[in-house]
């Protein structure tokens, strides 16, 4: 009988075998680049083996040369292929679980953002959040988390929302309410859960409602700095109740800070 003629294994097929076997010799376990790898025939060509991928296996140079044309035991070859398939299936299952987990997190985030939108619309009563507003809320949620944003919605609504005689939210008040939510959240992160901060915000609210002009961002900074000296937010509240204008307020805060210098 004539022996089977050996055909060169195409480069693409060699690469597929290496990938399947994780670039590791299936006889001794050594890996590239520590050893030179070859593609070996499970059933030798001299015994009728072909170049199909199921008959090919990765072997290092030493194992391949030592093996010669000794055929691998059928059961060991099948066991190796089964182990490879089991590993591949496990990887696929874990990948699917990870994708399902990520999709679940995304759904939870979407539900949280929708809830925040509902909270804002409920306090504005007659107004709805548009697409741009929803994108802003999603950004706040990612930066500050659901609990803090929800808390700041309530704070901002109490400080800034105003309604006309027919119960409709005023335009400027609605815009101010919405824009202040992330600023309140940022301030809360900066100052933590200091109970004095709520009193200082209250003092700032008095200034905003009483004075014809009030730089709200500067006002809270001045109140915080003055409270560091006085350690008495109630005194600052009393100042806010009687101060005549923004200039006078700034001057009084400066005097307090200078006194503590």
């Amino acid at each position: 009988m004539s022996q089977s003629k050996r055909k060169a294994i195409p480069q693409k097929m060699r690469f597929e075998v290496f990938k399947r076997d994780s670039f590791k010799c299936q006889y001794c376990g050594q890996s590239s680049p520590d050893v030179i790898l070859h593609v070996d025939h499970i059933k030798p060509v001299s015994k009728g083996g072909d170049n199909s991928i199921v008959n090919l296996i990765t072997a290092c140079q030493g194992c391949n040369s030592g093996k010669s044309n000794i055929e691998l035991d059928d059961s060991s070859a099948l066991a190796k292929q089964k182990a490879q398939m089991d590993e591949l299936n496990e990887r696929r299952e874990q990948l699917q679980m990870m994708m399902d987990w990520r999709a679940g997190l995304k759904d939870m985030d979407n539900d949280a953002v929708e809830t925040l939108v509902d909270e804002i619309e409920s306090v504005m009563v007659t107004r709805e959040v548009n697409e741009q507003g929803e994108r802003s809320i999603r950004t706040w949620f990612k930066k500050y988390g659901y609990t803090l944003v929800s808390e700041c919605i309530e704070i901002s609504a109490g400080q800034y929302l105003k309604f006309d005689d027919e119960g409709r939210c005023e335009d400027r008040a609605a815009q101010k309410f919405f824009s202040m939510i992330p600023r309140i959240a940022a301030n809360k992160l900066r100052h933590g859960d200091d109970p004095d901060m709520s009193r200082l915000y209250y003092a700032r609210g008095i200034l905003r409602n009483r004075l014809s002009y009030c730089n709200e961002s500067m006002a809270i900074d001045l109140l915080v700095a003055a409270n560091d000296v006085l350690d008495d937010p109630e005194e600052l509240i009393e100042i806010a109740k009687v101060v005549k204008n923004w200039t006078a307020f700034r001057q009084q805060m400066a005097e307090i800070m200078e006194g503590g210098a």
Side-chain angles (χ1 to χ4, degrees):
M1 293 179 65
S2 61
Q3 292 185 340
S4 299
K5 186 176 179 180
R6 179 182 292 271
K7 294 182 180 180
I9 300 172
Q11 186 68 19
K12 183 177 180 180
M13 178 66 77
R14 284 165 49 82
F15 183 56
E16 291 301 320
V17 174
F18 288 154
K19 284 198 300 180
R20 184 198 64 192
D21 294 340
S22 302
F23 290 85
K24 181 184 295 185
C25 175
Q26 300 301 294
Y27 297 100
C28 69
Q30 295 190 86
S31 302
S32 175
D34 297 334
V35 293
I36 297 175
L37 297 177
H38 296 271
V39 173
D40 188 20
H41 291 84
I42 296 174
K43 184 174 184 178
V45 173
S46 62
K47 296 183 179 181
D50 58 17
N51 284 350
S52 64
I53 194 167
V54 295
N55 191 48
L56 299 175
I57 197 168
T58 302
C60 68
Q61 183 169 301
C63 289
N64 190 41
S65 59
K67 176 178 173 294
S68 185
N69 68 342
I70 300 172
E71 186 172 352
L72 278 175
D73 178 74
D74 287 343
S75 61
S76 66
L78 288 173
K80 286 180 181 293
Q81 291 180 7
K82 183 179 184 303
Q84 291 162 359
M85 290 300 297
D86 289 344
E87 181 181 354
L88 179 60
N89 286 333
E90 178 64 23
R91 289 178 181 176
R92 286 175 175 166
E93 288 177 4
Q94 290 185 13
L95 178 60
Q96 185 62 51
M97 284 189 288
M98 183 179 71
M99 292 172 65
D100 291 343
W101 173 69
R102 288 174 63 89
L105 288 180
K106 186 175 181 180
D107 289 341
M108 289 175 62
D109 288 353
N110 290 335
D111 290 344
V113 171
E114 288 180 8
T115 302
L116 291 172
V117 170
D118 290 342
E119 287 184 29
I120 289 174
E121 290 181 341
S122 68
V123 295
M124 290 194 300
V125 184
T126 57
R127 292 178 173 272
E128 294 183 355
V129 176
N130 58 25
E131 290 184 8
Q132 182 177 350
E134 186 170 336
R135 286 194 294 270
S136 296
I137 295 168
R138 189 174 297 277
T139 300
W140 306 340
F141 168 73
K142 290 179 180 179
K143 187 172 183 179
Y144 301 115
Y146 174 83
T147 301
L148 181 55
V149 174
S150 180
E151 180 183 349
C152 294
I153 289 171
E154 183 177 353
I155 294 172
S156 187
Q159 290 189 2
Y160 300 104
L161 281 185
K162 296 180 181 179
F163 299 88
D164 61 23
D165 295 337
E166 296 180 5
R168 293 174 298 192
C169 184
E170 297 178 3
D171 289 345
R172 291 182 62 183
Q175 293 170 6
K176 189 69 173 178
F177 151 72
F178 192 84
S179 66
M180 289 303 297
I181 294 170
R183 294 177 62 178
I184 295 172
N187 277 327
K188 276 188 164 291
L189 283 184
R190 189 195 318 169
H191 300 292
D193 293 326
D194 184 352
D196 284 352
M197 282 305 300
S198 63
R199 304 303 292 160
L200 297 180
Y201 279 118
Y202 177 60
R204 202 251 322 253
I206 294 172
L207 292 169
R208 183 191 67 247
N209 292 328
R210 287 190 60 249
L211 305 182
S212 59
Y213 171 79
C214 175
N215 184 322
E216 296 183 27
S217 178
M218 184 181 295
I220 196 65
D221 289 339
L222 291 172
L223 287 165
V224 169
N227 193 56
D228 287 341
V229 176
L230 295 177
D231 194 22
D232 185 2
E234 300 306 319
E235 183 173 341
L236 295 172
I237 290 172
E238 292 305 314
I239 292 173
K241 289 179 178 179
V242 299
V243 71
K244 293 182 178 180
N245 53 49
W246 172 249
T247 301
F249 168 74
R250 289 186 59 185
Q251 183 176 348
Q252 282 196 253
M253 295 301 102
E255 289 173 357
I256 291 172
M257 288 182 279
E258 287 172 6

